[in-house]
PDB file of all heavy atoms in Angstrom:
ATOM      1  N   LEU A 768     147.899 115.151 141.045  1.00 97.00           N
ATOM      2  CA  LEU A 768     148.921 114.237 140.486  1.00 97.00           C
ATOM      3  C   LEU A 768     149.682 114.781 139.303  1.00 97.00           C
ATOM      4  O   LEU A 768     150.385 114.090 138.569  1.00 97.00           O
ATOM      5  CB  LEU A 768     148.120 112.935 139.992  1.00 97.00           C
ATOM      6  CG  LEU A 768     147.363 112.214 141.129  1.00 97.00           C
ATOM      7  CD1 LEU A 768     146.552 111.050 140.521  1.00 97.00           C
ATOM      8  CD2 LEU A 768     148.288 111.691 142.206  1.00 97.00           C
ATOM      9  N   ASN A 769     149.606 116.078 139.124  1.00 96.00           N
ATOM     10  CA  ASN A 769     150.409 116.713 138.068  1.00 96.00           C
ATOM     11  C   ASN A 769     151.867 116.550 138.156  1.00 96.00           C
ATOM     12  O   ASN A 769     152.590 116.628 137.166  1.00 96.00           O
ATOM     13  CB  ASN A 769     150.118 118.238 138.035  1.00 96.00           C
ATOM     14  CG  ASN A 769     148.797 118.569 137.374  1.00 96.00           C
ATOM     15  OD1 ASN A 769     148.098 117.637 136.746  1.00 96.00           O
ATOM     16  ND2 ASN A 769     148.294 119.809 137.480  1.00 96.00           N
ATOM     17  N   SER A 770     152.365 116.361 139.362  1.00 96.00           N
ATOM     18  CA  SER A 770     153.808 116.174 139.547  1.00 96.00           C
ATOM     19  C   SER A 770     154.339 114.933 138.900  1.00 96.00           C
ATOM     20  O   SER A 770     155.595 114.766 138.691  1.00 96.00           O
ATOM     21  CB  SER A 770     154.173 116.183 141.012  1.00 96.00           C
ATOM     22  OG  SER A 770     153.587 115.059 141.708  1.00 96.00           O
ATOM     23  N   LEU A 771     153.422 113.987 138.508  1.00 98.00           N
ATOM     24  CA  LEU A 771     153.895 112.698 137.908  1.00 98.00           C
ATOM     25  C   LEU A 771     154.244 112.913 136.455  1.00 98.00           C
ATOM     26  O   LEU A 771     154.913 112.038 135.884  1.00 98.00           O
ATOM     27  CB  LEU A 771     152.710 111.651 138.015  1.00 98.00           C
ATOM     28  CG  LEU A 771     152.276 111.266 139.378  1.00 98.00           C
ATOM     29  CD1 LEU A 771     151.200 110.278 139.277  1.00 98.00           C
ATOM     30  CD2 LEU A 771     153.400 110.725 140.213  1.00 98.00           C
ATOM     31  N   GLY A 772     153.902 114.013 135.880  1.00 98.00           N
ATOM     32  CA  GLY A 772     154.302 114.326 134.485  1.00 98.00           C
ATOM     33  C   GLY A 772     153.394 113.750 133.492  1.00 98.00           C
ATOM     34  O   GLY A 772     153.820 113.592 132.281  1.00 98.00           O
ATOM     35  N   GLY A 773     152.101 113.501 133.833  1.00 98.00           N
ATOM     36  CA  GLY A 773     151.199 112.949 132.902  1.00 98.00           C
ATOM     37  C   GLY A 773     150.977 113.801 131.663  1.00 98.00           C
ATOM     38  O   GLY A 773     150.935 113.257 130.520  1.00 98.00           O
ATOM     39  N   MET A 774     150.726 115.103 131.796  1.00 98.00           N
ATOM     40  CA  MET A 774     150.499 115.966 130.643  1.00 98.00           C
ATOM     41  C   MET A 774     151.791 115.943 129.772  1.00 98.00           C
ATOM     42  O   MET A 774     151.628 116.004 128.538  1.00 98.00           O
ATOM     43  CB  MET A 774     150.121 117.368 131.111  1.00 98.00           C
ATOM     44  CG  MET A 774     149.566 118.315 130.041  1.00 98.00           C
ATOM     45  SD  MET A 774     148.012 117.662 129.268  1.00 98.00           S
ATOM     46  CE  MET A 774     146.891 117.899 130.661  1.00 98.00           C
ATOM     47  N   HIS A 775     152.884 116.015 130.347  1.00 98.00           N
ATOM     48  CA  HIS A 775     154.168 116.033 129.577  1.00 98.00           C
ATOM     49  C   HIS A 775     154.312 114.775 128.803  1.00 98.00           C
ATOM     50  O   HIS A 775     154.782 114.804 127.657  1.00 98.00           O
ATOM     51  CB  HIS A 775     155.360 116.347 130.521  1.00 98.00           C
ATOM     52  CG  HIS A 775     155.419 117.600 131.152  1.00 98.00           C
ATOM     53  ND1 HIS A 775     154.568 117.936 132.248  1.00 98.00           N
ATOM     54  CD2 HIS A 775     156.080 118.783 130.837  1.00 98.00           C
ATOM     55  CE1 HIS A 775     154.864 119.202 132.590  1.00 98.00           C
ATOM     56  NE2 HIS A 775     155.740 119.683 131.800  1.00 98.00           N
ATOM     57  N   LEU A 776     153.933 113.595 129.336  1.00 98.00           N
ATOM     58  CA  LEU A 776     153.993 112.362 128.615  1.00 98.00           C
ATOM     59  C   LEU A 776     153.060 112.438 127.375  1.00 98.00           C
ATOM     60  O   LEU A 776     153.530 112.019 126.294  1.00 98.00           O
ATOM     61  CB  LEU A 776     153.548 111.250 129.570  1.00 98.00           C
ATOM     62  CG  LEU A 776     153.247 109.907 128.857  1.00 98.00           C
ATOM     63  CD1 LEU A 776     154.548 109.250 128.237  1.00 98.00           C
ATOM     64  CD2 LEU A 776     152.696 108.908 129.831  1.00 98.00           C
ATOM     65  N   LEU A 777     151.896 113.013 127.551  1.00 98.00           N
ATOM     66  CA  LEU A 777     150.897 113.062 126.470  1.00 98.00           C
ATOM     67  C   LEU A 777     151.420 113.945 125.329  1.00 98.00           C
ATOM     68  O   LEU A 777     151.234 113.598 124.148  1.00 98.00           O
ATOM     69  CB  LEU A 777     149.588 113.515 126.982  1.00 98.00           C
ATOM     70  CG  LEU A 777     148.915 112.629 128.016  1.00 98.00           C
ATOM     71  CD1 LEU A 777     147.558 113.271 128.531  1.00 98.00           C
ATOM     72  CD2 LEU A 777     148.641 111.171 127.469  1.00 98.00           C
ATOM     73  N   PHE A 778     151.979 115.101 125.704  1.00 98.00           N
ATOM     74  CA  PHE A 778     152.500 115.990 124.703  1.00 98.00           C
ATOM     75  C   PHE A 778     153.706 115.342 123.913  1.00 98.00           C
ATOM     76  O   PHE A 778     153.819 115.445 122.659  1.00 98.00           O
ATOM     77  CB  PHE A 778     152.963 117.305 125.325  1.00 98.00           C
ATOM     78  CG  PHE A 778     151.845 118.323 125.373  1.00 98.00           C
ATOM     79  CD1 PHE A 778     150.696 118.108 126.059  1.00 98.00           C
ATOM     80  CD2 PHE A 778     151.969 119.553 124.634  1.00 98.00           C
ATOM     81  CE1 PHE A 778     149.691 119.042 126.115  1.00 98.00           C
ATOM     82  CE2 PHE A 778     151.031 120.485 124.657  1.00 98.00           C
ATOM     83  CZ  PHE A 778     149.829 120.233 125.465  1.00 98.00           C
ATOM     84  N   TRP A 779     154.587 114.641 124.691  1.00 98.00           N
ATOM     85  CA  TRP A 779     155.662 114.080 124.031  1.00 98.00           C
ATOM     86  C   TRP A 779     155.378 112.899 123.103  1.00 98.00           C
ATOM     87  O   TRP A 779     155.915 112.818 122.043  1.00 98.00           O
ATOM     88  CB  TRP A 779     156.720 113.593 125.035  1.00 98.00           C
ATOM     89  CG  TRP A 779     158.048 113.119 124.515  1.00 98.00           C
ATOM     90  CD1 TRP A 779     158.567 111.875 124.669  1.00 98.00           C
ATOM     91  CD2 TRP A 779     158.857 113.776 123.644  1.00 98.00           C
ATOM     92  NE1 TRP A 779     159.731 111.777 124.016  1.00 98.00           N
ATOM     93  CE2 TRP A 779     159.943 112.926 123.359  1.00 98.00           C
ATOM     94  CE3 TRP A 779     158.894 115.056 123.121  1.00 98.00           C
ATOM     95  CZ2 TRP A 779     161.028 113.292 122.486  1.00 98.00           C
ATOM     96  CZ3 TRP A 779     159.999 115.479 122.294  1.00 98.00           C
ATOM     97  CH2 TRP A 779     160.970 114.576 121.937  1.00 98.00           C
ATOM     98  N   ARG A 780     154.371 112.090 123.537  1.00 98.00           N
ATOM     99  CA  ARG A 780     153.924 110.995 122.678  1.00 98.00           C
ATOM    100  C   ARG A 780     153.247 111.589 121.434  1.00 98.00           C
ATOM    101  O   ARG A 780     153.395 111.009 120.391  1.00 98.00           O
ATOM    102  CB  ARG A 780     152.961 110.107 123.492  1.00 98.00           C
ATOM    103  CG  ARG A 780     153.671 109.148 124.519  1.00 98.00           C
ATOM    104  CD  ARG A 780     154.624 108.138 123.892  1.00 98.00           C
ATOM    105  NE  ARG A 780     153.898 107.312 122.991  1.00 98.00           N
ATOM    106  CZ  ARG A 780     153.452 106.060 123.282  1.00 98.00           C
ATOM    107  NH1 ARG A 780     153.651 105.658 124.564  1.00 98.00           N
ATOM    108  NH2 ARG A 780     152.916 105.264 122.442  1.00 98.00           N
ATOM    109  N   SER A 781     152.510 112.663 121.605  1.00 98.00           N
ATOM    110  CA  SER A 781     151.883 113.293 120.467  1.00 98.00           C
ATOM    111  C   SER A 781     152.950 113.755 119.436  1.00 98.00           C
ATOM    112  O   SER A 781     152.803 113.621 118.300  1.00 98.00           O
ATOM    113  CB  SER A 781     151.029 114.488 120.908  1.00 98.00           C
ATOM    114  OG  SER A 781     149.925 114.028 121.734  1.00 98.00           O
ATOM    115  N   ILE A 782     154.049 114.359 119.926  1.00 98.00           N
ATOM    116  CA  ILE A 782     155.110 114.840 119.080  1.00 98.00           C
ATOM    117  C   ILE A 782     155.789 113.622 118.394  1.00 98.00           C
ATOM    118  O   ILE A 782     156.048 113.683 117.196  1.00 98.00           O
ATOM    119  CB  ILE A 782     156.124 115.610 119.932  1.00 98.00           C
ATOM    120  CG1 ILE A 782     155.491 116.928 120.398  1.00 98.00           C
ATOM    121  CG2 ILE A 782     157.408 115.855 119.129  1.00 98.00           C
ATOM    122  CD1 ILE A 782     156.334 117.720 121.399  1.00 98.00           C
ATOM    123  N   GLN A 783     155.995 112.570 119.162  1.00 98.00           N
ATOM    124  CA  GLN A 783     156.653 111.401 118.506  1.00 98.00           C
ATOM    125  C   GLN A 783     155.818 110.824 117.444  1.00 98.00           C
ATOM    126  O   GLN A 783     156.308 110.506 116.321  1.00 98.00           O
ATOM    127  CB  GLN A 783     156.875 110.344 119.670  1.00 98.00           C
ATOM    128  CG  GLN A 783     158.016 110.680 120.569  1.00 98.00           C
ATOM    129  CD  GLN A 783     158.112 109.656 121.694  1.00 98.00           C
ATOM    130  OE1 GLN A 783     157.097 109.316 122.339  1.00 98.00           O
ATOM    131  NE2 GLN A 783     159.378 109.252 122.085  1.00 98.00           N
ATOM    132  N   GLU A 784     154.449 110.707 117.666  1.00 98.00           N
ATOM    133  CA  GLU A 784     153.636 110.128 116.655  1.00 98.00           C
ATOM    134  C   GLU A 784     153.491 111.003 115.467  1.00 98.00           C
ATOM    135  O   GLU A 784     153.423 110.600 114.328  1.00 98.00           O
ATOM    136  CB  GLU A 784     152.242 109.891 117.243  1.00 98.00           C
ATOM    137  CG  GLU A 784     152.208 108.668 118.192  1.00 98.00           C
ATOM    138  CD  GLU A 784     150.788 108.396 118.619  1.00 98.00           C
ATOM    139  OE1 GLU A 784     149.799 108.945 118.002  1.00 98.00           O
ATOM    140  OE2 GLU A 784     150.611 107.644 119.562  1.00 98.00           O
ATOM    141  N   SER A 785     153.456 112.364 115.677  1.00 98.00           N
ATOM    142  CA  SER A 785     153.382 113.296 114.627  1.00 98.00           C
ATOM    143  C   SER A 785     154.605 113.190 113.718  1.00 98.00           C
ATOM    144  O   SER A 785     154.496 113.288 112.446  1.00 98.00           O
ATOM    145  CB  SER A 785     153.260 114.722 115.179  1.00 98.00           C
ATOM    146  OG  SER A 785     152.016 114.772 115.904  1.00 98.00           O
ATOM    147  N   LYS A 786     155.768 113.016 114.271  1.00 98.00           N
ATOM    148  CA  LYS A 786     157.010 112.870 113.526  1.00 98.00           C
ATOM    149  C   LYS A 786     156.881 111.627 112.663  1.00 98.00           C
ATOM    150  O   LYS A 786     157.246 111.649 111.456  1.00 98.00           O
ATOM    151  CB  LYS A 786     158.166 112.820 114.435  1.00 98.00           C
ATOM    152  CG  LYS A 786     158.614 114.120 115.054  1.00 98.00           C
ATOM    153  CD  LYS A 786     159.193 115.081 114.065  1.00 98.00           C
ATOM    154  CE  LYS A 786     160.529 114.592 113.500  1.00 98.00           C
ATOM    155  NZ  LYS A 786     161.088 115.543 112.504  1.00 98.00           N
ATOM    156  N   GLU A 787     156.472 110.536 113.290  1.00 97.00           N
ATOM    157  CA  GLU A 787     156.371 109.289 112.576  1.00 97.00           C
ATOM    158  C   GLU A 787     155.373 109.380 111.412  1.00 97.00           C
ATOM    159  O   GLU A 787     155.582 108.736 110.346  1.00 97.00           O
ATOM    160  CB  GLU A 787     155.906 108.172 113.484  1.00 97.00           C
ATOM    161  CG  GLU A 787     156.956 107.805 114.582  1.00 97.00           C
ATOM    162  CD  GLU A 787     156.454 106.761 115.553  1.00 97.00           C
ATOM    163  OE1 GLU A 787     155.264 106.389 115.418  1.00 97.00           O
ATOM    164  OE2 GLU A 787     157.205 106.503 116.510  1.00 97.00           O
ATOM    165  N   ALA A 788     154.394 110.149 111.558  1.00 98.00           N
ATOM    166  CA  ALA A 788     153.320 110.332 110.492  1.00 98.00           C
ATOM    167  C   ALA A 788     153.729 111.394 109.439  1.00 98.00           C
ATOM    168  O   ALA A 788     152.942 111.604 108.481  1.00 98.00           O
ATOM    169  CB  ALA A 788     152.025 110.694 111.194  1.00 98.00           C
ATOM    170  N   GLY A 789     154.863 112.056 109.640  1.00 98.00           N
ATOM    171  CA  GLY A 789     155.357 113.026 108.657  1.00 98.00           C
ATOM    172  C   GLY A 789     154.626 114.410 108.781  1.00 98.00           C
ATOM    173  O   GLY A 789     154.693 115.165 107.836  1.00 98.00           O
ATOM    174  N   LEU A 790     153.935 114.646 109.923  1.00 98.00           N
ATOM    175  CA  LEU A 790     153.362 115.933 110.111  1.00 98.00           C
ATOM    176  C   LEU A 790     154.416 117.005 110.313  1.00 98.00           C
ATOM    177  O   LEU A 790     155.533 116.763 110.684  1.00 98.00           O
ATOM    178  CB  LEU A 790     152.393 115.896 111.289  1.00 98.00           C
ATOM    179  CG  LEU A 790     151.266 114.889 111.228  1.00 98.00           C
ATOM    180  CD1 LEU A 790     150.328 115.003 112.511  1.00 98.00           C
ATOM    181  CD2 LEU A 790     150.540 114.963 109.992  1.00 98.00           C
ATOM    182  N   ARG A 791     154.084 118.255 110.072  1.00 98.00           N
ATOM    183  CA  ARG A 791     155.030 119.392 110.034  1.00 98.00           C
ATOM    184  C   ARG A 791     154.806 120.317 111.184  1.00 98.00           C
ATOM    185  O   ARG A 791     155.734 121.144 111.548  1.00 98.00           O
ATOM    186  CB  ARG A 791     154.956 120.123 108.804  1.00 98.00           C
ATOM    187  CG  ARG A 791     155.432 119.236 107.514  1.00 98.00           C
ATOM    188  CD  ARG A 791     155.110 119.879 106.268  1.00 98.00           C
ATOM    189  NE  ARG A 791     155.726 121.147 106.018  1.00 98.00           N
ATOM    190  CZ  ARG A 791     156.943 121.320 105.524  1.00 98.00           C
ATOM    191  NH1 ARG A 791     157.580 120.277 105.101  1.00 98.00           N
ATOM    192  NH2 ARG A 791     157.458 122.590 105.352  1.00 98.00           N
ATOM    193  N   VAL A 792     153.566 120.354 111.746  1.00 98.00           N
ATOM    194  CA  VAL A 792     153.182 121.399 112.786  1.00 98.00           C
ATOM    195  C   VAL A 792     152.461 120.717 113.913  1.00 98.00           C
ATOM    196  O   VAL A 792     151.468 119.911 113.665  1.00 98.00           O
ATOM    197  CB  VAL A 792     152.428 122.570 112.133  1.00 98.00           C
ATOM    198  CG1 VAL A 792     151.960 123.506 113.246  1.00 98.00           C
ATOM    199  CG2 VAL A 792     153.114 123.225 110.984  1.00 98.00           C
ATOM    200  N   PHE A 793     152.767 121.118 115.151  1.00 98.00           N
ATOM    201  CA  PHE A 793     151.955 120.779 116.332  1.00 98.00           C
ATOM    202  C   PHE A 793     151.371 122.079 116.758  1.00 98.00           C
ATOM    203  O   PHE A 793     152.066 122.985 117.328  1.00 98.00           O
ATOM    204  CB  PHE A 793     152.844 120.140 117.366  1.00 98.00           C
ATOM    205  CG  PHE A 793     152.060 119.609 118.546  1.00 98.00           C
ATOM    206  CD1 PHE A 793     150.689 119.379 118.544  1.00 98.00           C
ATOM    207  CD2 PHE A 793     152.798 119.205 119.667  1.00 98.00           C
ATOM    208  CE1 PHE A 793     150.041 118.870 119.612  1.00 98.00           C
ATOM    209  CE2 PHE A 793     152.076 118.671 120.857  1.00 98.00           C
ATOM    210  CZ  PHE A 793     150.720 118.592 120.787  1.00 98.00           C
ATOM    211  N   ASP A 794     150.065 122.277 116.555  1.00 98.00           N
ATOM    212  CA  ASP A 794     149.441 123.506 116.995  1.00 98.00           C
ATOM    213  C   ASP A 794     148.922 123.315 118.443  1.00 98.00           C
ATOM    214  O   ASP A 794     148.025 122.449 118.699  1.00 98.00           O
ATOM    215  CB  ASP A 794     148.189 123.717 116.023  1.00 98.00           C
ATOM    216  CG  ASP A 794     147.535 125.065 116.280  1.00 98.00           C
ATOM    217  OD1 ASP A 794     147.684 125.659 117.368  1.00 98.00           O
ATOM    218  OD2 ASP A 794     146.691 125.502 115.413  1.00 98.00           O
ATOM    219  N   LEU A 795     149.513 124.110 119.303  1.00 98.00           N
ATOM    220  CA  LEU A 795     149.199 123.995 120.706  1.00 98.00           C
ATOM    221  C   LEU A 795     148.001 124.831 121.120  1.00 98.00           C
ATOM    222  O   LEU A 795     147.642 124.872 122.312  1.00 98.00           O
ATOM    223  CB  LEU A 795     150.388 124.360 121.543  1.00 98.00           C
ATOM    224  CG  LEU A 795     151.747 123.619 121.268  1.00 98.00           C
ATOM    225  CD1 LEU A 795     152.785 123.984 122.267  1.00 98.00           C
ATOM    226  CD2 LEU A 795     151.495 122.134 121.250  1.00 98.00           C
ATOM    227  N   GLY A 796     147.392 125.502 120.184  1.00 96.00           N
ATOM    228  CA  GLY A 796     146.145 126.176 120.441  1.00 96.00           C
ATOM    229  C   GLY A 796     146.309 127.543 121.115  1.00 96.00           C
ATOM    230  O   GLY A 796     147.476 128.032 121.340  1.00 96.00           O
ATOM    231  N   ARG A 797     145.247 128.180 121.399  1.00 96.00           N
ATOM    232  CA  ARG A 797     145.242 129.532 122.007  1.00 96.00           C
ATOM    233  C   ARG A 797     145.266 129.449 123.517  1.00 96.00           C
ATOM    234  O   ARG A 797     144.889 128.489 124.106  1.00 96.00           O
ATOM    235  CB  ARG A 797     144.029 130.332 121.516  1.00 96.00           C
ATOM    236  CG  ARG A 797     142.742 129.933 122.265  1.00 96.00           C
ATOM    237  CD  ARG A 797     141.540 130.798 121.843  1.00 96.00           C
ATOM    238  NE  ARG A 797     140.436 130.611 122.692  1.00 96.00           N
ATOM    239  CZ  ARG A 797     139.197 131.086 122.518  1.00 96.00           C
ATOM    240  NH1 ARG A 797     138.932 131.899 121.469  1.00 96.00           N
ATOM    241  NH2 ARG A 797     138.276 130.866 123.365  1.00 96.00           N
ATOM    242  N   SER A 798     145.759 130.601 124.084  1.00 96.00           N
ATOM    243  CA  SER A 798     145.767 130.693 125.524  1.00 96.00           C
ATOM    244  C   SER A 798     145.298 132.116 125.863  1.00 96.00           C
ATOM    245  O   SER A 798     145.689 133.059 125.173  1.00 96.00           O
ATOM    246  CB  SER A 798     147.237 130.518 126.071  1.00 96.00           C
ATOM    247  OG  SER A 798     147.745 129.311 125.619  1.00 96.00           O
ATOM    248  N   ASP A 799     144.526 132.271 126.919  1.00 94.00           N
ATOM    249  CA  ASP A 799     144.225 133.582 127.439  1.00 94.00           C
ATOM    250  C   ASP A 799     145.482 134.328 127.846  1.00 94.00           C
ATOM    251  O   ASP A 799     146.385 133.842 128.418  1.00 94.00           O
ATOM    252  CB  ASP A 799     143.253 133.550 128.632  1.00 94.00           C
ATOM    253  CG  ASP A 799     141.893 133.023 128.242  1.00 94.00           C
ATOM    254  OD1 ASP A 799     141.546 133.077 127.106  1.00 94.00           O
ATOM    255  OD2 ASP A 799     141.172 132.506 129.152  1.00 94.00           O
ATOM    256  N   ILE A 800     145.494 135.633 127.489  1.00 94.00           N
ATOM    257  CA  ILE A 800     146.707 136.438 127.777  1.00 94.00           C
ATOM    258  C   ILE A 800     146.973 136.430 129.283  1.00 94.00           C
ATOM    259  O   ILE A 800     148.117 136.469 129.678  1.00 94.00           O
ATOM    260  CB  ILE A 800     146.385 137.933 127.281  1.00 94.00           C
ATOM    261  CG1 ILE A 800     146.333 137.995 125.771  1.00 94.00           C
ATOM    262  CG2 ILE A 800     147.469 138.903 127.842  1.00 94.00           C
ATOM    263  CD1 ILE A 800     147.683 137.766 125.108  1.00 94.00           C
ATOM    264  N   GLU A 801     145.848 136.411 130.107  1.00 93.00           N
ATOM    265  CA  GLU A 801     146.157 136.400 131.560  1.00 93.00           C
ATOM    266  C   GLU A 801     146.577 135.058 132.082  1.00 93.00           C
ATOM    267  O   GLU A 801     147.060 134.987 133.246  1.00 93.00           O
ATOM    268  CB  GLU A 801     144.776 136.838 132.246  1.00 93.00           C
ATOM    269  CG  GLU A 801     144.316 138.206 131.905  1.00 93.00           C
ATOM    270  CD  GLU A 801     143.507 138.200 130.623  1.00 93.00           C
ATOM    271  OE1 GLU A 801     143.258 137.075 130.022  1.00 93.00           O
ATOM    272  OE2 GLU A 801     143.182 139.318 130.136  1.00 93.00           O
ATOM    273  N   ASN A 802     146.480 134.008 131.292  1.00 94.00           N
ATOM    274  CA  ASN A 802     146.916 132.702 131.804  1.00 94.00           C
ATOM    275  C   ASN A 802     148.367 132.437 131.541  1.00 94.00           C
ATOM    276  O   ASN A 802     148.811 131.725 130.711  1.00 94.00           O
ATOM    277  CB  ASN A 802     146.105 131.611 131.093  1.00 94.00           C
ATOM    278  CG  ASN A 802     146.168 130.243 131.782  1.00 94.00           C
ATOM    279  OD1 ASN A 802     147.076 130.061 132.544  1.00 94.00           O
ATOM    280  ND2 ASN A 802     145.207 129.374 131.464  1.00 94.00           N
TER     281      ASN A 802
END
């Protein structure tokens, strides 16, 4: 069900809430080089 955009919705809502709370950084974490 990834084509529905669920993960994108969650990231965008996180960004919106962070802006409202006055946060300055969204840390997306680490990723394996091969990924």
